[in-house]
Amino acid sequence: MQNHKPQNDASYFPFHYIDSRQRFLDLVHQTQKEGASVQIEKWMIPSKIDQDLSVDLAYWAPTQQTQQLLVVTSGIHGSETYAGSAILQMFLTEVFPKLHREGLGVLLVHAMNPYGFKYHRRTTENGVNLNRNFSISGERYKRRNEDSEKMHAQFFKREKVGSIKSHLFQHLEIKNGKAFFGDISMDQFIKAVSPGQCESAQDLEFGGKALEPQSAKLVEKLKELIPQYQDVVALDLHTGLGHRNRLHLLTSGSGEDLHPDLFAQLFDIEADKDYYEYTPAAAEGFYEVHGALNTAFSDLAQPHQRVCAITMEFGTLGHDLEAKLRSLDNLLVEHQGFYNGYNTPELAEEVQKESFERSYPQDDKWRQAVVAASRGLFQNILSRAGAFTL
Ligand SMILES: [Zn+2]
């Protein structure tokens, strides 16, 4: 097979959604030209403003018998898709041609949230955080998050944004090196709000009232594929949490998304430390998520199947106190501005620029780190799975 690797890893990053989608599809078609049999699907996403939004995916069945399924999903959170797209391109260019696909099936999903990617929003057009939206039973949509409601009542204002600082940050105090808002610690605030809520898009981290169209389509696809396999490894690509230039592997925190034997077979945290660190959901500044895409895999698998569903997070602003505060402040003020407006267009622009930087730093060193870490991770786990030769 030919090698189309670019000179500089940063050039895997697309310019915008349409460019990204085209690059993905070109590389998928390239595998076909080189002899691989692939099923390509396009899910059109309904929109009030744009009739050209699609989730694009490609599935390569194993060439002999089904054993392991690798699923890589990108773009749950709009602007984070720049990195997700770069990783998919690197994978298709450098890893895919060398895969031993006798027993391995591969499903790659480009831009789960095309609206958010194109218009630089974390949520879908319906205001839904897709990574809080996955509930196969529908139970999640009925459950209230009262801790989140309390935090909103105390700290969140539903009025025009008049300052680059959010209302929450007017209560900020640093005590013994820890951040507090009144008597609530930042960690308490994050662990209350970040798991999500299904009441209102006006509040932070809305999980929706039902599966969004692309969530429903993905669930349908997984229902078709998962039963065919013994092992399922799912990697969902994100940016924004953790140390800058560093890849963190996270799980939803439920404990059901990681089969211990499969995880131990594929991931060697010590040997892979140049590429990533494994961060439990309980770690400070991280959090348990409800309705994450990852939970769909364990929900759909049978007890005899082994599932490893992992979130890959590339740190952007950083993980020190100052960076975490800056990130939380911007999340709140951007959300308030989207629903209530801004006092001036200059303020809107400043807030949105920071929001974009939080998902996609305009820095080639960061871009190169994202691609290098992903390359190392894919090569190591796939070689341990017997599907790649280092
Ligand atoms: Zn994300």
Side-chain angles (χ1 to χ4, degrees), residues 123-158:
T123 64
T124 65
E125 193 172 340
N126 300 323
V128 173
N129 179 343
L130 283 178
N131 215 30
R132 307 290 182 275
N133 180 239
F134 282 83
S135 177
I136 312 268
S137 67
E139 274 306 307
R140 161 163 181 69
Y141 310 116
K142 298 175 204 156
R143 225 184 306 134
R144 283 175 71 171
N145 179 347
E146 286 172 15
D147 290 342
S148 174
E149 288 171 29
K150 276 183 216 151
M151 294 299 158
H152 279 85
Q154 209 174 336
F155 296 118
F156 195 68
K157 281 274 181 281
R158 298 170 204 287

PDB file of all heavy atoms in Angstrom, residues 123-158:
ATOM      1  N   THR A 123     -22.591  22.187  21.673  1.00  0.00           N
ATOM      2  CA  THR A 123     -23.825  21.401  21.615  1.00  0.00           C
ATOM      3  C   THR A 123     -24.353  21.274  20.188  1.00  0.00           C
ATOM      4  O   THR A 123     -23.867  21.921  19.270  1.00  0.00           O
ATOM      5  CB  THR A 123     -24.926  22.072  22.454  1.00  0.00           C
ATOM      6  OG1 THR A 123     -25.226  23.339  21.871  1.00  0.00           O
ATOM      7  CG2 THR A 123     -24.486  22.278  23.894  1.00  0.00           C
ATOM      8  N   THR A 124     -25.424  20.478  20.056  1.00  0.00           N
ATOM      9  CA  THR A 124     -26.125  20.402  18.776  1.00  0.00           C
ATOM     10  C   THR A 124     -26.984  21.655  18.603  1.00  0.00           C
ATOM     11  O   THR A 124     -27.098  22.483  19.508  1.00  0.00           O
ATOM     12  CB  THR A 124     -27.066  19.179  18.737  1.00  0.00           C
ATOM     13  OG1 THR A 124     -28.091  19.375  19.727  1.00  0.00           O
ATOM     14  CG2 THR A 124     -26.329  17.887  19.029  1.00  0.00           C
ATOM     15  N   GLU A 125     -27.643  21.744  17.436  1.00  0.00           N
ATOM     16  CA  GLU A 125     -28.522  22.894  17.192  1.00  0.00           C
ATOM     17  C   GLU A 125     -29.659  22.943  18.216  1.00  0.00           C
ATOM     18  O   GLU A 125     -30.172  24.018  18.539  1.00  0.00           O
ATOM     19  CB  GLU A 125     -29.084  22.788  15.766  1.00  0.00           C
ATOM     20  CG  GLU A 125     -29.750  24.055  15.281  1.00  0.00           C
ATOM     21  CD  GLU A 125     -30.117  23.967  13.800  1.00  0.00           C
ATOM     22  OE1 GLU A 125     -29.546  23.136  13.066  1.00  0.00           O
ATOM     23  OE2 GLU A 125     -30.995  24.747  13.382  1.00  0.00           O
ATOM     24  N   ASN A 126     -30.047  21.780  18.755  1.00  0.00           N
ATOM     25  CA  ASN A 126     -31.089  21.728  19.786  1.00  0.00           C
ATOM     26  C   ASN A 126     -30.546  22.047  21.182  1.00  0.00           C
ATOM     27  O   ASN A 126     -31.270  21.889  22.165  1.00  0.00           O
ATOM     28  CB  ASN A 126     -31.733  20.337  19.827  1.00  0.00           C
ATOM     29  CG  ASN A 126     -32.381  19.985  18.509  1.00  0.00           C
ATOM     30  OD1 ASN A 126     -32.959  20.843  17.842  1.00  0.00           O
ATOM     31  ND2 ASN A 126     -32.269  18.722  18.101  1.00  0.00           N
ATOM     32  N   GLY A 127     -29.287  22.422  21.257  1.00  0.00           N
ATOM     33  CA  GLY A 127     -28.711  22.764  22.558  1.00  0.00           C
ATOM     34  C   GLY A 127     -28.332  21.556  23.393  1.00  0.00           C
ATOM     35  O   GLY A 127     -28.133  21.671  24.602  1.00  0.00           O
ATOM     36  N   VAL A 128     -28.213  20.396  22.759  1.00  0.00           N
ATOM     37  CA  VAL A 128     -27.926  19.161  23.495  1.00  0.00           C
ATOM     38  C   VAL A 128     -26.431  18.850  23.469  1.00  0.00           C
ATOM     39  O   VAL A 128     -25.802  18.865  22.418  1.00  0.00           O
ATOM     40  CB  VAL A 128     -28.711  17.971  22.885  1.00  0.00           C
ATOM     41  CG1 VAL A 128     -28.290  16.654  23.521  1.00  0.00           C
ATOM     42  CG2 VAL A 128     -30.208  18.198  23.031  1.00  0.00           C
ATOM     43  N   ASN A 129     -25.900  18.578  24.659  1.00  0.00           N
ATOM     44  CA  ASN A 129     -24.552  18.032  24.758  1.00  0.00           C
ATOM     45  C   ASN A 129     -24.666  16.539  24.453  1.00  0.00           C
ATOM     46  O   ASN A 129     -25.184  15.764  25.261  1.00  0.00           O
ATOM     47  CB  ASN A 129     -24.011  18.264  26.171  1.00  0.00           C
ATOM     48  CG  ASN A 129     -22.611  17.687  26.338  1.00  0.00           C
ATOM     49  OD1 ASN A 129     -22.171  16.861  25.535  1.00  0.00           O
ATOM     50  ND2 ASN A 129     -21.926  18.106  27.387  1.00  0.00           N
ATOM     51  N   LEU A 130     -24.195  16.137  23.273  1.00  0.00           N
ATOM     52  CA  LEU A 130     -24.375  14.737  22.835  1.00  0.00           C
ATOM     53  C   LEU A 130     -23.745  13.742  23.803  1.00  0.00           C
ATOM     54  O   LEU A 130     -24.176  12.596  23.878  1.00  0.00           O
ATOM     55  CB  LEU A 130     -23.772  14.533  21.443  1.00  0.00           C
ATOM     56  CG  LEU A 130     -24.562  15.041  20.240  1.00  0.00           C
ATOM     57  CD1 LEU A 130     -23.760  14.782  18.968  1.00  0.00           C
ATOM     58  CD2 LEU A 130     -25.922  14.363  20.147  1.00  0.00           C
ATOM     59  N   ASN A 131     -22.729  14.196  24.544  1.00  0.00           N
ATOM     60  CA  ASN A 131     -22.091  13.264  25.468  1.00  0.00           C
ATOM     61  C   ASN A 131     -22.839  13.161  26.802  1.00  0.00           C
ATOM     62  O   ASN A 131     -22.328  12.622  27.770  1.00  0.00           O
ATOM     63  CB  ASN A 131     -20.627  13.635  25.707  1.00  0.00           C
ATOM     64  CG  ASN A 131     -19.755  12.403  25.894  1.00  0.00           C
ATOM     65  OD1 ASN A 131     -20.043  11.347  25.333  1.00  0.00           O
ATOM     66  ND2 ASN A 131     -18.711  12.526  26.697  1.00  0.00           N
ATOM     67  N   ARG A 132     -24.054  13.690  26.845  1.00  0.00           N
ATOM     68  CA  ARG A 132     -24.966  13.479  27.975  1.00  0.00           C
ATOM     69  C   ARG A 132     -26.281  12.890  27.461  1.00  0.00           C
ATOM     70  O   ARG A 132     -27.250  12.790  28.186  1.00  0.00           O
ATOM     71  CB  ARG A 132     -25.285  14.819  28.679  1.00  0.00           C
ATOM     72  CG  ARG A 132     -24.094  15.634  29.099  1.00  0.00           C
ATOM     73  CD  ARG A 132     -23.327  14.999  30.248  1.00  0.00           C
ATOM     74  NE  ARG A 132     -22.211  15.866  30.640  1.00  0.00           N
ATOM     75  CZ  ARG A 132     -21.014  15.866  30.051  1.00  0.00           C
ATOM     76  NH1 ARG A 132     -20.755  15.008  29.083  1.00  0.00           N
ATOM     77  NH2 ARG A 132     -20.064  16.701  30.464  1.00  0.00           N
ATOM     78  N   ASN A 133     -26.327  12.565  26.175  1.00  0.00           N
ATOM     79  CA  ASN A 133     -27.585  12.257  25.478  1.00  0.00           C
ATOM     80  C   ASN A 133     -27.859  10.762  25.313  1.00  0.00           C
ATOM     81  O   ASN A 133     -28.952  10.380  24.913  1.00  0.00           O
ATOM     82  CB  ASN A 133     -27.542  12.955  24.097  1.00  0.00           C
ATOM     83  CG  ASN A 133     -28.775  12.736  23.257  1.00  0.00           C
ATOM     84  OD1 ASN A 133     -28.705  12.212  22.141  1.00  0.00           O
ATOM     85  ND2 ASN A 133     -29.932  13.132  23.788  1.00  0.00           N
ATOM     86  N   PHE A 134     -26.875   9.905  25.630  1.00  0.00           N
ATOM     87  CA  PHE A 134     -27.062   8.481  25.313  1.00  0.00           C
ATOM     88  C   PHE A 134     -27.761   7.747  26.448  1.00  0.00           C
ATOM     89  O   PHE A 134     -27.190   7.537  27.514  1.00  0.00           O
ATOM     90  CB  PHE A 134     -25.717   7.828  24.973  1.00  0.00           C
ATOM     91  CG  PHE A 134     -25.278   8.178  23.578  1.00  0.00           C
ATOM     92  CD1 PHE A 134     -24.620   9.374  23.323  1.00  0.00           C
ATOM     93  CD2 PHE A 134     -25.571   7.349  22.519  1.00  0.00           C
ATOM     94  CE1 PHE A 134     -24.248   9.728  22.036  1.00  0.00           C
ATOM     95  CE2 PHE A 134     -25.197   7.684  21.224  1.00  0.00           C
ATOM     96  CZ  PHE A 134     -24.537   8.877  20.981  1.00  0.00           C
ATOM     97  N   SER A 135     -29.000   7.405  26.220  1.00  0.00           N
ATOM     98  CA  SER A 135     -29.747   6.581  27.156  1.00  0.00           C
ATOM     99  C   SER A 135     -30.599   5.630  26.332  1.00  0.00           C
ATOM    100  O   SER A 135     -31.558   6.045  25.688  1.00  0.00           O
ATOM    101  CB  SER A 135     -30.645   7.454  28.045  1.00  0.00           C
ATOM    102  OG  SER A 135     -31.414   6.653  28.908  1.00  0.00           O
ATOM    103  N   ILE A 136     -30.195   4.383  26.299  1.00  0.00           N
ATOM    104  CA  ILE A 136     -30.887   3.411  25.445  1.00  0.00           C
ATOM    105  C   ILE A 136     -32.280   3.156  26.006  1.00  0.00           C
ATOM    106  O   ILE A 136     -33.249   3.044  25.273  1.00  0.00           O
ATOM    107  CB  ILE A 136     -30.096   2.083  25.373  1.00  0.00           C
ATOM    108  CG1 ILE A 136     -28.620   2.351  25.094  1.00  0.00           C
ATOM    109  CG2 ILE A 136     -30.727   1.098  24.385  1.00  0.00           C
ATOM    110  CD1 ILE A 136     -28.139   2.367  23.707  1.00  0.00           C
ATOM    111  N   SER A 137     -32.383   3.082  27.333  1.00  0.00           N
ATOM    112  CA  SER A 137     -33.677   2.786  27.972  1.00  0.00           C
ATOM    113  C   SER A 137     -34.569   4.028  28.032  1.00  0.00           C
ATOM    114  O   SER A 137     -35.781   3.909  28.201  1.00  0.00           O
ATOM    115  CB  SER A 137     -33.430   2.289  29.395  1.00  0.00           C
ATOM    116  OG  SER A 137     -32.888   3.355  30.175  1.00  0.00           O
ATOM    117  N   GLY A 138     -33.977   5.222  27.939  1.00  0.00           N
ATOM    118  CA  GLY A 138     -34.742   6.456  28.089  1.00  0.00           C
ATOM    119  C   GLY A 138     -34.891   6.892  29.552  1.00  0.00           C
ATOM    120  O   GLY A 138     -35.411   7.965  29.832  1.00  0.00           O
ATOM    121  N   GLU A 139     -34.397   6.071  30.475  1.00  0.00           N
ATOM    122  CA  GLU A 139     -34.510   6.376  31.906  1.00  0.00           C
ATOM    123  C   GLU A 139     -33.854   7.703  32.260  1.00  0.00           C
ATOM    124  O   GLU A 139     -34.351   8.465  33.091  1.00  0.00           O
ATOM    125  CB  GLU A 139     -33.835   5.265  32.739  1.00  0.00           C
ATOM    126  CG  GLU A 139     -34.733   4.087  33.039  1.00  0.00           C
ATOM    127  CD  GLU A 139     -36.041   4.497  33.701  1.00  0.00           C
ATOM    128  OE1 GLU A 139     -35.979   5.207  34.725  1.00  0.00           O
ATOM    129  OE2 GLU A 139     -37.106   4.129  33.176  1.00  0.00           O
ATOM    130  N   ARG A 140     -32.719   7.955  31.629  1.00  0.00           N
ATOM    131  CA  ARG A 140     -31.940   9.137  31.965  1.00  0.00           C
ATOM    132  C   ARG A 140     -32.746  10.434  31.848  1.00  0.00           C
ATOM    133  O   ARG A 140     -32.592  11.351  32.645  1.00  0.00           O
ATOM    134  CB  ARG A 140     -30.722   9.199  31.037  1.00  0.00           C
ATOM    135  CG  ARG A 140     -30.096  10.560  30.969  1.00  0.00           C
ATOM    136  CD  ARG A 140     -28.708  10.572  30.401  1.00  0.00           C
ATOM    137  NE  ARG A 140     -28.175  11.940  30.412  1.00  0.00           N
ATOM    138  CZ  ARG A 140     -27.853  12.610  31.492  1.00  0.00           C
ATOM    139  NH1 ARG A 140     -27.993  12.055  32.669  1.00  0.00           N
ATOM    140  NH2 ARG A 140     -27.389  13.843  31.410  1.00  0.00           N
ATOM    141  N   TYR A 141     -33.632  10.494  30.835  1.00  0.00           N
ATOM    142  CA  TYR A 141     -34.340  11.761  30.566  1.00  0.00           C
ATOM    143  C   TYR A 141     -35.354  12.083  31.663  1.00  0.00           C
ATOM    144  O   TYR A 141     -35.840  13.197  31.746  1.00  0.00           O
ATOM    145  CB  TYR A 141     -35.019  11.696  29.194  1.00  0.00           C
ATOM    146  CG  TYR A 141     -34.086  11.230  28.093  1.00  0.00           C
ATOM    147  CD1 TYR A 141     -34.312  10.028  27.418  1.00  0.00           C
ATOM    148  CD2 TYR A 141     -32.956  11.972  27.767  1.00  0.00           C
ATOM    149  CE1 TYR A 141     -33.437   9.584  26.436  1.00  0.00           C
ATOM    150  CE2 TYR A 141     -32.070  11.528  26.788  1.00  0.00           C
ATOM    151  CZ  TYR A 141     -32.324  10.334  26.129  1.00  0.00           C
ATOM    152  OH  TYR A 141     -31.453   9.896  25.173  1.00  0.00           O
ATOM    153  N   LYS A 142     -35.695  11.069  32.478  1.00  0.00           N
ATOM    154  CA  LYS A 142     -36.687  11.292  33.539  1.00  0.00           C
ATOM    155  C   LYS A 142     -36.041  11.689  34.853  1.00  0.00           C
ATOM    156  O   LYS A 142     -36.717  12.153  35.759  1.00  0.00           O
ATOM    157  CB  LYS A 142     -37.488   9.997  33.769  1.00  0.00           C
ATOM    158  CG  LYS A 142     -38.273   9.532  32.556  1.00  0.00           C
ATOM    159  CD  LYS A 142     -38.938   8.182  32.858  1.00  0.00           C
ATOM    160  CE  LYS A 142     -39.229   7.402  31.586  1.00  0.00           C
ATOM    161  NZ  LYS A 142     -39.324   5.966  31.851  1.00  0.00           N
ATOM    162  N   ARG A 143     -34.734  11.468  34.967  1.00  0.00           N
ATOM    163  CA  ARG A 143     -34.049  11.694  36.245  1.00  0.00           C
ATOM    164  C   ARG A 143     -33.609  13.152  36.381  1.00  0.00           C
ATOM    165  O   ARG A 143     -33.056  13.720  35.451  1.00  0.00           O
ATOM    166  CB  ARG A 143     -32.823  10.784  36.326  1.00  0.00           C
ATOM    167  CG  ARG A 143     -32.699  10.090  37.664  1.00  0.00           C
ATOM    168  CD  ARG A 143     -31.415   9.256  37.747  1.00  0.00           C
ATOM    169  NE  ARG A 143     -31.251   8.291  36.661  1.00  0.00           N
ATOM    170  CZ  ARG A 143     -30.112   8.125  35.982  1.00  0.00           C
ATOM    171  NH1 ARG A 143     -29.060   8.875  36.234  1.00  0.00           N
ATOM    172  NH2 ARG A 143     -30.029   7.212  35.023  1.00  0.00           N
ATOM    173  N   ARG A 144     -33.882  13.770  37.520  1.00  0.00           N
ATOM    174  CA  ARG A 144     -33.442  15.155  37.721  1.00  0.00           C
ATOM    175  C   ARG A 144     -32.060  15.186  38.360  1.00  0.00           C
ATOM    176  O   ARG A 144     -31.682  14.269  39.074  1.00  0.00           O
ATOM    177  CB  ARG A 144     -34.431  15.880  38.637  1.00  0.00           C
ATOM    178  CG  ARG A 144     -35.698  16.267  37.914  1.00  0.00           C
ATOM    179  CD  ARG A 144     -36.694  16.867  38.849  1.00  0.00           C
ATOM    180  NE  ARG A 144     -36.294  18.211  39.292  1.00  0.00           N
ATOM    181  CZ  ARG A 144     -37.103  19.002  39.990  1.00  0.00           C
ATOM    182  NH1 ARG A 144     -38.311  18.597  40.325  1.00  0.00           N
ATOM    183  NH2 ARG A 144     -36.693  20.201  40.356  1.00  0.00           N
ATOM    184  N   ASN A 145     -31.334  16.240  38.059  1.00  0.00           N
ATOM    185  CA  ASN A 145     -30.057  16.470  38.729  1.00  0.00           C
ATOM    186  C   ASN A 145     -30.250  17.683  39.639  1.00  0.00           C
ATOM    187  O   ASN A 145     -30.058  18.828  39.227  1.00  0.00           O
ATOM    188  CB  ASN A 145     -28.956  16.709  37.688  1.00  0.00           C
ATOM    189  CG  ASN A 145     -27.612  16.990  38.337  1.00  0.00           C
ATOM    190  OD1 ASN A 145     -27.518  17.240  39.544  1.00  0.00           O
ATOM    191  ND2 ASN A 145     -26.559  16.966  37.537  1.00  0.00           N
ATOM    192  N   GLU A 146     -30.670  17.406  40.874  1.00  0.00           N
ATOM    193  CA  GLU A 146     -31.013  18.509  41.777  1.00  0.00           C
ATOM    194  C   GLU A 146     -29.798  19.320  42.205  1.00  0.00           C
ATOM    195  O   GLU A 146     -29.909  20.526  42.448  1.00  0.00           O
ATOM    196  CB  GLU A 146     -31.772  17.956  42.992  1.00  0.00           C
ATOM    197  CG  GLU A 146     -33.192  17.566  42.594  1.00  0.00           C
ATOM    198  CD  GLU A 146     -33.961  16.823  43.671  1.00  0.00           C
ATOM    199  OE1 GLU A 146     -33.527  16.847  44.832  1.00  0.00           O
ATOM    200  OE2 GLU A 146     -34.990  16.222  43.327  1.00  0.00           O
ATOM    201  N   ASP A 147     -28.635  18.656  42.282  1.00  0.00           N
ATOM    202  CA  ASP A 147     -27.412  19.403  42.634  1.00  0.00           C
ATOM    203  C   ASP A 147     -27.123  20.463  41.575  1.00  0.00           C
ATOM    204  O   ASP A 147     -26.735  21.587  41.887  1.00  0.00           O
ATOM    205  CB  ASP A 147     -26.219  18.449  42.736  1.00  0.00           C
ATOM    206  CG  ASP A 147     -26.334  17.547  43.959  1.00  0.00           C
ATOM    207  OD1 ASP A 147     -27.122  17.885  44.865  1.00  0.00           O
ATOM    208  OD2 ASP A 147     -25.644  16.502  43.983  1.00  0.00           O
ATOM    209  N   SER A 148     -27.320  20.080  40.320  1.00  0.00           N
ATOM    210  CA  SER A 148     -27.084  21.031  39.234  1.00  0.00           C
ATOM    211  C   SER A 148     -28.092  22.178  39.312  1.00  0.00           C
ATOM    212  O   SER A 148     -27.735  23.355  39.131  1.00  0.00           O
ATOM    213  CB  SER A 148     -27.188  20.307  37.887  1.00  0.00           C
ATOM    214  OG  SER A 148     -27.099  21.228  36.832  1.00  0.00           O
ATOM    215  N   GLU A 149     -29.346  21.867  39.600  1.00  0.00           N
ATOM    216  CA  GLU A 149     -30.369  22.924  39.708  1.00  0.00           C
ATOM    217  C   GLU A 149     -30.008  23.929  40.802  1.00  0.00           C
ATOM    218  O   GLU A 149     -30.151  25.138  40.624  1.00  0.00           O
ATOM    219  CB  GLU A 149     -31.741  22.300  39.997  1.00  0.00           C
ATOM    220  CG  GLU A 149     -32.313  21.581  38.784  1.00  0.00           C
ATOM    221  CD  GLU A 149     -33.570  20.764  39.098  1.00  0.00           C
ATOM    222  OE1 GLU A 149     -34.312  21.138  40.030  1.00  0.00           O
ATOM    223  OE2 GLU A 149     -33.793  19.760  38.410  1.00  0.00           O
ATOM    224  N   LYS A 150     -29.510  23.404  41.922  1.00  0.00           N
ATOM    225  CA  LYS A 150     -29.117  24.301  43.026  1.00  0.00           C
ATOM    226  C   LYS A 150     -27.982  25.223  42.610  1.00  0.00           C
ATOM    227  O   LYS A 150     -27.986  26.418  42.919  1.00  0.00           O
ATOM    228  CB  LYS A 150     -28.644  23.465  44.238  1.00  0.00           C
ATOM    229  CG  LYS A 150     -29.790  22.984  45.108  1.00  0.00           C
ATOM    230  CD  LYS A 150     -29.253  22.229  46.335  1.00  0.00           C
ATOM    231  CE  LYS A 150     -30.186  21.087  46.678  1.00  0.00           C
ATOM    232  NZ  LYS A 150     -29.530  19.936  47.314  1.00  0.00           N
ATOM    233  N   MET A 151     -27.010  24.665  41.914  1.00  0.00           N
ATOM    234  CA  MET A 151     -25.862  25.480  41.476  1.00  0.00           C
ATOM    235  C   MET A 151     -26.325  26.580  40.510  1.00  0.00           C
ATOM    236  O   MET A 151     -25.851  27.709  40.567  1.00  0.00           O
ATOM    237  CB  MET A 151     -24.807  24.602  40.786  1.00  0.00           C
ATOM    238  CG  MET A 151     -24.145  23.599  41.692  1.00  0.00           C
ATOM    239  SD  MET A 151     -23.249  24.381  43.063  1.00  0.00           S
ATOM    240  CE  MET A 151     -23.195  23.031  44.210  1.00  0.00           C
ATOM    241  N   HIS A 152     -27.244  26.218  39.622  1.00  0.00           N
ATOM    242  CA  HIS A 152     -27.749  27.222  38.683  1.00  0.00           C
ATOM    243  C   HIS A 152     -28.494  28.333  39.430  1.00  0.00           C
ATOM    244  O   HIS A 152     -28.324  29.515  39.135  1.00  0.00           O
ATOM    245  CB  HIS A 152     -28.663  26.576  37.636  1.00  0.00           C
ATOM    246  CG  HIS A 152     -27.909  25.920  36.524  1.00  0.00           C
ATOM    247  ND1 HIS A 152     -27.425  24.641  36.609  1.00  0.00           N
ATOM    248  CD2 HIS A 152     -27.544  26.377  35.307  1.00  0.00           C
ATOM    249  CE1 HIS A 152     -26.789  24.333  35.488  1.00  0.00           C
ATOM    250  NE2 HIS A 152     -26.849  25.366  34.674  1.00  0.00           N
ATOM    251  N   ALA A 153     -29.323  27.945  40.404  1.00  0.00           N
ATOM    252  CA  ALA A 153     -30.104  28.945  41.134  1.00  0.00           C
ATOM    253  C   ALA A 153     -29.174  29.917  41.863  1.00  0.00           C
ATOM    254  O   ALA A 153     -29.431  31.118  41.921  1.00  0.00           O
ATOM    255  CB  ALA A 153     -31.024  28.241  42.125  1.00  0.00           C
ATOM    256  N   GLN A 154     -28.090  29.380  42.369  1.00  0.00           N
ATOM    257  CA  GLN A 154     -27.184  30.206  43.169  1.00  0.00           C
ATOM    258  C   GLN A 154     -26.241  31.051  42.318  1.00  0.00           C
ATOM    259  O   GLN A 154     -25.937  32.182  42.675  1.00  0.00           O
ATOM    260  CB  GLN A 154     -26.374  29.274  44.072  1.00  0.00           C
ATOM    261  CG  GLN A 154     -25.936  29.907  45.374  1.00  0.00           C
ATOM    262  CD  GLN A 154     -25.250  28.864  46.276  1.00  0.00           C
ATOM    263  OE1 GLN A 154     -25.489  27.654  46.148  1.00  0.00           O
ATOM    264  NE2 GLN A 154     -24.400  29.327  47.165  1.00  0.00           N
ATOM    265  N   PHE A 155     -25.770  30.494  41.190  1.00  0.00           N
ATOM    266  CA  PHE A 155     -24.626  31.120  40.526  1.00  0.00           C
ATOM    267  C   PHE A 155     -24.851  31.507  39.063  1.00  0.00           C
ATOM    268  O   PHE A 155     -23.980  32.107  38.458  1.00  0.00           O
ATOM    269  CB  PHE A 155     -23.423  30.168  40.561  1.00  0.00           C
ATOM    270  CG  PHE A 155     -22.918  29.880  41.942  1.00  0.00           C
ATOM    271  CD1 PHE A 155     -22.942  28.584  42.457  1.00  0.00           C
ATOM    272  CD2 PHE A 155     -22.403  30.901  42.730  1.00  0.00           C
ATOM    273  CE1 PHE A 155     -22.446  28.316  43.720  1.00  0.00           C
ATOM    274  CE2 PHE A 155     -21.905  30.640  43.995  1.00  0.00           C
ATOM    275  CZ  PHE A 155     -21.936  29.344  44.504  1.00  0.00           C
ATOM    276  N   PHE A 156     -25.966  31.120  38.467  1.00  0.00           N
ATOM    277  CA  PHE A 156     -26.093  31.334  37.018  1.00  0.00           C
ATOM    278  C   PHE A 156     -27.138  32.401  36.727  1.00  0.00           C
ATOM    279  O   PHE A 156     -28.268  32.324  37.206  1.00  0.00           O
ATOM    280  CB  PHE A 156     -26.459  30.004  36.334  1.00  0.00           C
ATOM    281  CG  PHE A 156     -26.266  30.035  34.853  1.00  0.00           C
ATOM    282  CD1 PHE A 156     -24.993  30.122  34.303  1.00  0.00           C
ATOM    283  CD2 PHE A 156     -27.358  29.992  33.998  1.00  0.00           C
ATOM    284  CE1 PHE A 156     -24.807  30.168  32.922  1.00  0.00           C
ATOM    285  CE2 PHE A 156     -27.174  30.030  32.615  1.00  0.00           C
ATOM    286  CZ  PHE A 156     -25.897  30.114  32.085  1.00  0.00           C
ATOM    287  N   LYS A 157     -26.748  33.403  35.947  1.00  0.00           N
ATOM    288  CA  LYS A 157     -27.664  34.515  35.638  1.00  0.00           C
ATOM    289  C   LYS A 157     -28.220  34.364  34.221  1.00  0.00           C
ATOM    290  O   LYS A 157     -27.497  34.021  33.292  1.00  0.00           O
ATOM    291  CB  LYS A 157     -26.896  35.835  35.724  1.00  0.00           C
ATOM    292  CG  LYS A 157     -26.700  36.326  37.164  1.00  0.00           C
ATOM    293  CD  LYS A 157     -27.901  37.146  37.631  1.00  0.00           C
ATOM    294  CE  LYS A 157     -27.746  37.684  39.040  1.00  0.00           C
ATOM    295  NZ  LYS A 157     -28.006  36.683  40.096  1.00  0.00           N
ATOM    296  N   ARG A 158     -29.525  34.626  34.102  1.00  0.00           N
ATOM    297  CA  ARG A 158     -30.154  34.578  32.774  1.00  0.00           C
ATOM    298  C   ARG A 158     -30.381  35.994  32.271  1.00  0.00           C
ATOM    299  O   ARG A 158     -31.496  36.470  32.213  1.00  0.00           O
ATOM    300  CB  ARG A 158     -31.469  33.807  32.857  1.00  0.00           C
ATOM    301  CG  ARG A 158     -31.229  32.377  33.296  1.00  0.00           C
ATOM    302  CD  ARG A 158     -32.484  31.627  33.618  1.00  0.00           C
ATOM    303  NE  ARG A 158     -32.191  30.537  34.542  1.00  0.00           N
ATOM    304  CZ  ARG A 158     -31.550  29.419  34.205  1.00  0.00           C
ATOM    305  NH1 ARG A 158     -31.176  29.232  32.958  1.00  0.00           N
ATOM    306  NH2 ARG A 158     -31.289  28.494  35.105  1.00  0.00           N
TER     307      ARG A 158
END
